């Protein structure tokens, strides 16, 4: 027979006396504060989608790297990436962890992204890709 | 003479009658739900840091792409990246927006990352790089 609930009025609530944590530990801290990927994919000339390299992506990636270093932006890593699949709007870059995309066509564009977004924590709406930047149908 | 504060007891608090929003609009929704970058950087044989390509990074990137497609993981993009600078622990991949890094040395490692992390939303601690994975001094 089970004892009535009132048999042990001072008994604590049922808890595991030696709890084993089953929680997933938190993710490690970000390795890079800012991780920027510049598309440098090259398609053959005349491809209907074009490509970031054909639009100058490699030179802009080089400039980005050099300027980021020059400005001393802390915790930043600039990497080349393969095709980011937003070719029509290239040369494109994407900045993580925030996942903000930009079209950077000129050195002035790169400078604006570096100073306004990466140094100032703002955004550059005139260069930003949004959900309305869709690849053409077909 | 400035009027006393009690001269206009019903005067509302000073607010701009025609406020112009100066707030930054929210960032666009993520273009990819999961953006995975696999390092495929290659250094010359014998380089003291080694490189992800020398450790099989390219083949693993290909396998990752193919398996992600096969499993039908929605909203994923797998890209190659240039040197992610954690060479000693390669072949490395990093998954954004969460910024979690893994060392994926075998196809089984790739499968575990795909099923546990990307499909299940979990983590694979045995393969995860943490803040303790530091490049050797010098």
């Amino acid at each position: 027979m089970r004892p009535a609930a009132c048999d042990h009025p001072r008994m604590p609530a049922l808890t595991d006396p030696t709890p084993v944590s089953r929680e997933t530990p938190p993710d490690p801290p970000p390795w890079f504060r800012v991780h920027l990927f510049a598309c440098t994919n090259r398609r053959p000339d005349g491809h209907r989608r074009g490509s970031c390299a054909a639009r100058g992506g490699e030179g802009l990636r080089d400039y980005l790297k050099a300027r980021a270093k020059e400005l001393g932006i802390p915790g930043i890593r600039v990497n080349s990436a393969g095709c980011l699949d937003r070719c029509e709007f290239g040369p494109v870059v994407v900045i993580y962890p925030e996942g903000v995309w930009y079209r950077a066509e000129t050195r002035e564009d790169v400078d604006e992204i570096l100073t306004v977004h990466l140094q100032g924590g703002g955004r550059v709406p005139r260069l930003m890709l949004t959900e309305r930047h869709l690849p053409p149908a077909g």
Side-chain angles (χ1 to χ4, degrees), chain A residues 100-113:
Chain A
V100 169
W101 294 68
Y102 289 111
R103 169 184 217 162
E105 289 185 286
T106 66
R107 291 184 166 208
E108 289 69 32
D109 293 347
V110 167
D111 283 338
E112 198 170 338
I113 293 164

Side-chain angles (χ1 to χ4, degrees), chain A residues 73-128:
Chain A
I73 297 176
I76 189 175
R77 180 81 181 168
V78 176
N79 276 114
S80 303
C83 179
L84 298 179
D85 204 27
R86 303 187 85 175
C87 322
E88 292 78 7
F89 310 107
V92 300
V93 302
V94 58
I95 302 170
Y96 284 107
E98 56 266 55
V100 169
W101 294 68
Y102 289 111
R103 169 184 217 162
E105 289 185 286
T106 66
R107 291 184 166 208
E108 289 69 32
D109 293 347
V110 167
D111 283 338
E112 198 170 338
I113 293 164
L114 286 168
T115 53
V116 176
H117 187 127
L118 299 177
Q119 290 193 304
R123 298 294 183 262
V124 189
R126 74 173 186 91
L127 302 174
M128 201 186 285

Side-chain angles (χ1 to χ4, degrees), chain A residues 55-64 91 104-107 110:
Chain A
R55 295 190 173 94
E58 291 159 321
L60 288 160
R61 182 263 335 261
D62 292 342
Y63 181 71
L64 234 169
E105 289 185 286
T106 66
R107 291 184 166 208
V110 167

